[in-house]
Amino acid sequence: METPTHLVSRFCAAWSENRATAELVAFFTDDAVYHNIPLAPITGREAIATTIDSFIRPGAPGIESIEFRVVNIAANGPTVMTERVDVFSLLDKSFELPVMGTFEVSDGKIKAWRDYFDMNQFTSRMGDV
């Protein structure tokens, strides 16, 4: 079985490769929790898929793709932390957002994913589109 760090690295690479939602949610357990702090947590693989589909929507004003540039990655057992710069590509521009992510891995799948970022920074950059 691969290490939690390798699993999370592959997951981040899948985002950068603009993989389909079904491929992204295959990394999660059925009862996984995805929490973009400060938004409400999303529970369950199907709800996570719906959430991903809601913000990755080609065409204005949607997000065409998101590249996860991992700056640092560290693990303590099944918990993996990433320092990233997420690059959001829109129809006619892109912007970068610093993000800290925490992943909890169980039996080779992501059981919990929490991302911490500045919501004001994100919304202001989206608003500049």
Side-chain angles (χ1 to χ4, degrees):
M1 184 177 293
E2 71 184 325
T3 67
T5 302
H6 187 254
L7 174 73
V8 171
S9 294
R10 284 193 314 108
F11 177 70
C12 291
W15 276 92
S16 297
E17 295 163 0
N18 204 22
R19 297 281 181 91
T21 299
E23 292 180 69
L24 295 173
V25 297
F27 282 90
F28 292 95
T29 62
D30 289 338
D31 61 346
V33 177
Y34 170 41
H35 194 179
N36 266 327
I37 312 283
L39 304 172
I42 308 299
T43 302
R45 187 184 292 170
E46 289 183 31
I48 293 169
T50 300
T51 299
I52 291 170
D53 283 340
S54 75
F55 63 81
I56 302 293
R57 326 181 282 284
I63 297 168
E64 299 281 323
S65 65
I66 306 171
E67 176 188 357
F68 285 13
R69 293 183 184 160
V70 178
V71 176
N72 289 297
I73 189 167
N76 184 8
T79 303
V80 180
M81 298 184 74
T82 59
E83 175 187 11
R84 306 189 318 262
V85 175
D86 291 359
V87 181
F88 292 80
S89 295
L90 293 90
L91 191 58
D92 59 355
K93 79 177 256 180
S94 66
F95 66 89
E96 297 181 352
L97 183 72
V99 178
M100 290 294 294
T102 301
F103 298 83
E104 295 174 20
V105 175
S106 177
D107 295 323
K109 299 277 186 180
I110 297 169
K111 184 164 184 64
W113 174 23
R114 292 178 300 280
D115 270 350
Y116 302 83
F117 59 94
D118 183 335
M119 181 60 84
N120 288 330
Q121 189 177 42
F122 174 78
T123 55
S124 69
R125 290 179 180 176
M126 282 294 292
D128 289 344
V129 180

